[in-house]
Amino acid sequence: MAGLLLSGEVTAADSTAKRLLLIHARGQGDAWAESLSRGVIDGLHASAQNTELYIENADNGRFDGADYAALAQFIARKYQAFPPDVVLVSDAYAL
């Protein structure tokens, strides 16, 4: 699970930055997920918006049958203080 800051002057408490959370069903290093991440990152850079991007990977391919309800609860708690303005999911399993 990773977070990426797209503006050098933005902190988590900066209320002007738009926070985007990208949730992949697949794991980090998966070519498809990495390609989608790169597209989102490139699009955000091109837009020149004050943006914070956070990326979470459920990695359901390697952990089939895992307790994803607990993962969803963890993610909800993790971002509770600074909720994302937009949540993007890259696969139905990421919902």
Side-chain angles (χ1 to χ4, degrees), residues 1 23-30 33 56-66 68 71 90 93-94:
M1 296 184 189
I23 303 174
H24 289 296
R26 300 175 185 207
Q28 189 172 7
D30 177 85
E56 301 286 349
N57 296 285
D59 208 4
N60 69 343
R62 288 190 277 186
F63 299 98
D64 188 34
Y68 290 104
L71 178 61
S90 67
Y93 291 108

Side-chain angles (χ1 to χ4, degrees), residues 36-78:
L36 287 173
S37 292
R38 176 56 39 209
V40 170
I41 291 166
D42 290 348
L44 291 172
H45 279 294
S47 75
Q49 296 292 317
N50 189 7
T51 308
E52 294 178 23
L53 174 64
Y54 301 92
I55 301 173
E56 301 286 349
N57 296 285
D59 208 4
N60 69 343
R62 288 190 277 186
F63 299 98
D64 188 34
D67 186 359
Y68 290 104
L71 178 61
Q73 291 171 355
F74 168 76
I75 291 172
R77 284 191 312 272
K78 180 177 179 180

